[in-house]
Amino acid sequence: MADADPHHSTLHPAIARAASWPAWTADPAVAQLLAALRDLDALATRLAALHRVRPDLGLESVRGEVGEVAPILERCPERGFDHGWRWRANGGACAGLWEMLGRRRAAWIDARLAVEGFPADADTRAKALRGMALERAAPPVVMLWEAFRAGAALPR
């Protein structure tokens, strides 16, 4: 798909790779990141259970480093152009993986715009409309996480 695009040859290889996926969720790394997030969430659950039985172990710092996947809706200051809210995981490595997944989604949208001929520094109505259409088409991390936990196949 990206090979047929005249802009493809001038794109950075990472942008071309991101744009080559028909959906941001088709990138194999996304499934691996979700699996790691699932494993960390299970670890957080086990540590919380152990903490309830043995609070004397002092697991608070370890639990904070691991975090948990409890999607939190928070105000997002950099997204003033729309509703201004975002979902995120609650702390530690889980929050880091959640944000990494969000960056993969954003990178796919930016790459699709670049492949479709919208320069990164362009600020046009056409680019904004296409960007909004890609935003609507790309499932947000919270929806992807819920589908993954339920055992559904990732959108391709």
Side-chain angles (χ1 to χ4, degrees):
M1 176 201 275
D3 294 326
D5 186 28
H7 299 284
H8 180 266
S9 62
T10 62
L11 294 175
H12 186 280
I15 294 173
R17 181 177 48 250
S20 71
W21 307 112
W24 79 276
T25 55
D27 181 345
V30 170
Q32 293 176 7
L33 291 170
L34 286 168
L37 190 59
R38 178 198 56 219
D39 295 346
L40 283 172
D41 194 41
L43 175 60
T45 301
R46 287 195 310 273
L47 289 172
L50 180 57
H51 177 71
R52 282 190 293 281
V53 175
R54 293 285 310 274
D56 60 305
L57 293 175
L59 292 170
E60 292 84 7
S61 64
V62 175
R63 289 176 58 211
E65 291 295 319
V66 172
E68 63 182 326
V69 181
I72 298 170
L73 186 61
E74 70 177 3
R75 187 89 173 128
C76 180
E78 69 263 12
R79 291 185 56 192
F81 62 87
D82 62 3
H83 52 77
W85 293 85
R86 68 176 172 198
W87 289 96
R88 71 168 178 86
N90 188 19
C94 285
L97 286 171
W98 190 276
E99 289 175 17
M100 194 178 296
L101 285 162
R103 287 192 304 268
R104 295 302 330 131
R105 180 179 181 267
W108 179 81
I109 291 169
D110 290 343
R112 290 301 321 148
L113 288 170
V115 165
E116 292 176 16
F118 296 103
D121 59 351
D123 190 18
T124 64
R125 178 169 168 72
K127 180 181 178 184
L129 290 173
R130 181 62 182 137
M132 285 188 286
L134 288 168
E135 283 273 344
R136 284 189 301 272
V141 176
V142 69
M143 289 176 60
L144 189 64
W145 171 247
E146 293 301 327
F148 181 81
R149 280 187 354 160
L154 298 181
R156 300 281 175 189

